[in-house]
Amino acid sequence: MIPRSRTVSLLALWAICLAGCASEDKPGQQEPKPLALQEQVSNTVKSADGYAVTWAGVLRNANPWHFGEHVVATIVGHDAKGTEVVRLDQPLDAVPPGGSLAFTGQASAVEKPAKVTIQYRPAQWRRASRIPSAYQRFPISRTQTLPQKDGSYLITGYVGNPYKLAAGSLVVNAMLRDKAGKLLGGGSTFVDDVKAGSPPRFILTVSGLPDGAKVAKTDITARTWGSTGRPYEDLALAGAVPVHTVKPTTEPFAEDRSTQIVSELKP
């Protein structure tokens, strides 16, 4: 017979175990973590009507089961005296579950900003309808980064669609980096009606880089356009195109090899 004191202790331990099991991480039950601004850079060059301010940034979504939607970046520039000379609210596209969002922009300023910062409003979270692996990347191929005489860079390539459903509009972002991997700047463009098997070509120009900047690497990504994850959801729900679509041309084995190996191993 178990003593009463030990029975009470066992019941208490069982209750603690149940509470711990109930609090295990489950998709959608914990409060999503906030977006993180992984990288940001800004550049200012003289223009015909004052100064052209360009910026690039990368937002990271650490939540594998949620879209970060209705995100707005606020770009603020101050001159050497601390006076605000640039302020712009930039609506951003939805940040996919467990993914990142590269974004770029440009604004004009009458006075030269000495410091430019990027902030963002907290995202609105929406539970993803598919598992994280269903949200595949849009493949980028045959890329070229070509320096121009005026100091800008011309970036070209092709963007594919891994899904059965055509993508109405995709945003292509090019982020330029130096030899050490430091972000120097970036640019964006759009491609429309992207069908599986028919990758359209994209062309974009990145200008306003600091004098003497040497580009060693270009990171190019594509994403769906819009403040919500609905376009991405629609593509994922339609399903991905099978990787292997060509029928084998070799003759089948006369006898299944696995059956042969099993029979040989039997005592």
Side-chain angles (χ1 to χ4, degrees):
M1 181 176 179
I2 302 176
R4 178 180 176 81
S5 59
R6 182 171 296 180
T7 301
V8 173
S9 299
L10 290 174
L11 290 175
L13 181 61
W14 179 250
I16 294 173
C17 290
L18 287 177
C21 293
S23 63
E24 288 182 355
D25 293 349
K26 293 184 179 179
Q29 290 190 353
Q30 283 194 330
E31 187 70 20
K33 300 177 182 177
L35 297 174
L37 186 59
Q38 282 191 322
E39 297 177 280
Q40 61 172 308
V41 68
S42 63
N43 298 299
T44 303
V45 296
K46 194 74 175 67
S47 64
D49 55 352
Y51 295 89
V53 182
T54 60
W55 59 85
V58 179
L59 276 173
R60 178 70 183 176
N61 180 6
N63 305 288
W65 298 98
H66 289 82
F67 279 94
E69 300 183 332
H70 303 291
V71 183
V72 178
T74 301
I75 293 83
V76 180
H78 295 87
D79 63 15
K81 297 180 180 179
T83 303
E84 184 178 295
V85 294
V86 174
R87 174 175 287 271
L88 178 72
D89 288 335
Q90 180 184 10
L92 302 180
D93 299 322
V95 190
S100 60
L101 176 76
F103 63 94
T104 65
Q106 180 174 335
S108 298
V110 177
E111 301 294 333
K112 183 179 180 179
K115 182 180 180 180
V116 177
T117 59
I118 302 175
Q119 302 174 345
Y120 64 92
R121 301 174 192 170
Q124 297 180 23
W125 299 105
R126 184 168 64 84
R127 179 80 159 80
S129 61
R130 297 293 305 275
I131 60 176
S133 60
Y135 301 100
Q136 300 185 29
R137 293 185 177 183
F138 298 93
I140 306 295
S141 61
R142 293 177 281 174
T143 62
Q144 287 185 306
T145 301
L146 306 172
Q148 306 298 298
K149 293 181 179 180
D150 61 355
S152 64
Y153 284 82
L154 181 69
I155 294 96
T156 66
Y158 293 81
V159 56
N161 181 4
Y163 299 101
K164 297 177 181 178
L165 187 68
S169 185
L170 296 179
V171 186
V172 179
N173 278 283
M175 310 296 273
L176 306 185
R177 301 180 182 278
D178 64 12
K179 188 177 181 179
K182 181 182 177 182
L183 183 61
L184 299 174
S188 305
T189 190
F190 289 86
V191 287
D192 298 323
D193 193 26
V194 184
K195 298 182 178 67
S198 302
R201 189 186 187 205
F202 64 84
I203 302 174
L204 64 91
T205 301
V206 178
S207 59
L209 298 183
D211 294 337
K214 294 183 179 180
V215 175
K217 181 182 178 182
T218 304
D219 292 334
I220 304 176
T221 57
R223 65 174 186 270
T224 53
W225 177 73
S227 61
T228 74
R230 179 56 57 191
Y232 211 170
E233 292 267 64
D234 292 342
L235 293 173
L237 289 171
V241 176
V243 177
H244 302 290
T245 58
V246 180
K247 185 178 180 180
T249 56
T250 57
E251 292 293 329
F253 295 119
E255 183 179 357
D256 187 272
R257 288 185 175 182
S258 62
T259 304
Q260 181 181 356
I261 294 173
V262 171
S263 61
E264 292 176 352
L265 292 176
K266 287 183 179 179

